[in-house]
Structures are given as C-alpha cells and as structure tokens.
Amino acid sequence: MYTAHPDRYADMPYRRTGRSGLKLPALSLGLWHNFGPDRPVETQRAILRRAFDLGVTHFDLANNYGPPPGAAESALGEFLKSDFAAYRDELVISTKAGYLMWPGPYGEWGSRKYVLSSLDQSLRRMGLDYVDIFYSHRPDPETPLEETMGALHSAVQQGKALYVGISNYSAEQTREAARILGELGTPLLIHQPRYSMLDRRPEDEGLLDALDELQVGSIVFSPLEQGLLSARYLDGIPEGSRAASDSPFLNSDAVTEELVGRLRDLNDIAKTRGQTLAQMALAWVLRGGRVTSALVGASSPQQLEDSVGAIGNLDFDADELARIDAIVKQ
C-alpha cells in the first residue's frame, strides 16, 4: 500500500495558470514514451510514486501516448486505482485528442465527433469520471475552429473536464481559439507548445506574447529537446540513446560535431551554476515566470529526481542569458 510522503508540498513551487484559480507545479510529469507494456510495471509505478512524493501533482497524457496508442492512459488508470485513489483530488490529470487513434474518417483531427468520442475513450482507459484539463492536441486545417472549440466547451458542460487547453496552435490560432471559447463561456486555460533553449519558436513567432496578452497559461514540452539538453550527448551519440535508434523524433544526423560542441559549452555554464545541463535547460524555460510549467519525461525515478533538482536555481543573470544566447544562436 502506497502512502504519499508527508512533506511532498514543502519544496515544489506552484504557479498560477493564467488568470485562473488553478496552480501547476513548476515541473509536471509527461507520460509520453515511458508508460506502456514495453516498460517494466514496477519502474512505471516507482516513477509515479516518486513524482508525487516530490510535489509533482500534474500527470500529462494524450490519447495516443504509449506505445501503442492508449497504453499510457491504461497504465495510469491501473496506478490510479492501486496507488492514488485516495489522492485523486490532489492530482491534476490532463489528456488530449487530435492525432490518429482509430481507422476511418472519425479517428483523428478536430471534429466534434472525434474529440468527444476520444475523451470518452480516455476516461474509460483511466477509470475516471473527469480529467482536469482536456486539450485539442493540434489544429485541424479542415474543421472550423468553432466546432473544435465547441467540443471542448461541451466537455466542460458535460462535467468530463474542468478546464480546456490547446497544443501546437500558432499565435494567431491561439487568439482566435481564446475568443471563441470566451464567447462560449469556457475560458482557454493553457497552451502546450514545444519550447527549449534550442527551439525558440514560441518567442520568435509571438506565441509567448499572445499568451501574456490573453492571460493564458503555458506548459512546455520537449524542454530538454528529446534528451539533447542533457549529459547523454556531450561525448557524441551513446548506445541505446534515442538518437542511436530509428526514432522519428531524434536521429543521428541531428547530432553533429558542431552541436556537440555547443552542448559542451552550455554544460560549462551549467557547471558554474551548480546544475546539470538538464537542470539548467529546465530552469531556462521557467525563468522569469512566463512559462507556468515544464513537462519532463522520466525512464527512472533517479532521472526524475535530477530534473526536479532544477527548481533549486531558477534565476539567471544577464551575463548568463547572453552567454547562452551566443552559444545557441551562433
């Protein structure tokens, strides 16, 4: 029987999400690629328990997380029942709909039929009556935005979601989504973009500015850039790494000698801060408070602990930021 650590809220900072009443931990746990039948059950259980003991109250999923799709939600459902049933009201659980889940014309994108059917399936897999946040995972180029946002609104009206969010939407699409949801009476809570020291698009394309203007929260994925912003690649491509595999998200061609040199330079800055490269990368996206939370994955409790160590130093001085920019933008 699992009993949560009594001091789990002692150290983790919690940040208000936009202008809502919901606070998220500075670091949230993403269940993207480490939860499913291809990973040891006890390792998955240990990661979730350690996360909650460290104050990580937010578990982020999507309907297609696994592999195979749906497996992460099913795995979480088992752990919610066996370990976390007594703590449900202390947890924020999110899921998404947008990518391919079943064959035929109704199995992906943003139609009302797909979005609400997907949510019902997600709830069944997790054994939940509701999720705390339900996202449109990507914009649908062929479905009117009013229909997709209307489906999110219906999820809240039906009591199946407390809040709604969007992911992978541009600044312009985000403004329009927020307008539609506002008129329906269900405010846009949060946006989930990809953002890291190596991927500045939310800054460069005005998304962070739009979120500031709209008073919408943000939770960033891939802040470690698929593991590049960690110690794993400081000496090239190690065996067993994502870049050494046939992963579509990171391949060996991306890990050039020039990139490895820049990673080493960034690691030197991290050392002067008393941090690992991964900790500094997480601190960087959380700097200044513009980002509500950073999503981290973990293949072990120890990896999670290293990530959570980032909260010990979230401040950067002007010189450090300038040095990081000079390395990344060279």
Side-chain angles (χ1 to χ4, degrees):
M1 176 68 70
Y2 166 66
T3 301
H5 196 287
D7 296 329
R8 58 191 175 275
Y9 297 115
D11 298 317
M12 177 64 67
Y14 297 89
R15 297 178 168 190
R16 188 168 300 279
T17 311
R19 61 186 297 270
S20 78
L22 183 68
K23 293 182 178 180
L24 293 179
L27 293 177
S28 298
L29 180 63
L31 277 66
W32 178 35
H33 259 290
N34 294 311
F35 288 80
D38 62 336
R39 304 297 174 106
V41 171
E42 287 308 312
T43 300
Q44 298 176 53
R45 174 178 282 112
I47 292 169
L48 290 169
R49 288 180 173 185
R50 189 64 182 135
F52 191 52
D53 283 347
L54 290 169
V56 178
T57 55
H58 178 205
F59 300 157
D60 179 76
L61 301 99
N63 56 359
N64 65 328
Y65 287 0
E73 290 179 330
S74 295
L76 181 64
E78 292 300 316
F79 297 125
L80 289 174
K81 182 167 55 177
S82 63
D83 287 17
F84 296 99
Y87 303 105
R88 172 62 182 101
D89 292 337
E90 296 182 44
L91 291 170
V92 172
I93 297 170
S94 59
T95 196
K96 312 175 192 75
Y99 286 92
L100 181 63
M101 279 300 291
W102 60 86
Y106 320 119
E108 63 178 326
W109 293 109
S111 71
R112 180 179 179 85
K113 179 172 177 59
Y114 165 73
V115 169
L116 294 178
S117 296
S118 176
L119 176 57
D120 285 341
Q121 292 183 20
S122 293
L123 292 174
R124 284 196 294 271
R125 282 190 289 267
M126 291 187 283
L128 294 174
D129 296 322
Y130 71 94
V131 290
D132 297 275
I133 307 171
F134 182 46
Y135 289 88
S136 168
H137 205 166
R138 60 174 174 171
D140 184 341
E142 296 183 349
T143 296
L145 194 55
E146 289 83 358
E147 179 173 341
T148 305
M149 294 304 104
L152 296 185
H153 170 67
S154 292
V156 173
Q157 295 298 105
Q158 293 168 6
K160 296 175 181 178
L162 301 185
Y163 302 92
V164 299
I166 56 177
S167 182
N168 299 304
Y169 280 57
S170 70
E172 181 180 358
Q173 291 167 330
T174 297
R175 286 191 173 92
E176 183 63 6
R179 182 192 66 78
I180 294 167
L181 285 168
E183 291 179 355
L184 291 171
T186 298
L188 176 61
L189 174 80
I190 196 167
H191 190 296
Q192 188 173 132
R194 180 169 180 158
Y195 183 47
S196 74
M197 285 195 294
L198 299 180
D199 187 344
R200 308 288 186 92
R201 285 175 293 176
E203 292 178 11
D204 299 338
E205 298 173 3
L207 177 61
L208 293 184
D209 290 337
L211 297 178
D212 286 343
E213 294 166 14
L214 296 167
Q215 294 182 283
V216 169
S218 60
I219 180 168
V220 301
F221 69 90
S222 293
L224 301 183
E225 206 59 34
Q226 301 296 316
L228 284 176
L229 290 168
S230 71
R232 299 200 75 184
Y233 296 94
L234 296 177
D235 295 313
I237 303 175
E239 290 186 15
S241 66
R242 184 165 289 170
S245 70
D246 57 357
S247 170
F249 304 104
L250 180 65
N251 57 59
S252 58
D253 293 340
V255 188
T256 62
E257 288 187 16
E258 178 190 11
L259 176 61
V260 171
R262 286 192 284 163
L263 295 177
R264 289 172 178 163
D265 290 341
L266 290 171
N267 190 54
D268 288 340
I269 298 175
K271 288 179 180 178
T272 66
R273 291 171 50 83
Q275 292 181 313
T276 65
L277 177 55
Q279 288 169 344
M280 184 179 77
L282 292 169
W284 186 87
V285 298
L286 292 167
R287 75 198 187 284
R290 294 188 84 185
V291 168
T292 311
S293 184
L295 278 166
V296 296
S299 58
S300 69
Q302 294 74 28
Q303 189 179 52
L304 178 68
E305 288 168 2
D306 181 75
S307 294
V308 172
I311 66 175
N313 184 7
L314 299 179
D315 297 322
F316 290 80
D317 61 36
D319 179 64
E320 288 173 325
L321 292 174
R323 290 168 62 199
I324 290 169
D325 285 350
I327 293 167
V328 171
K329 297 180 179 180
Q330 66 184 4

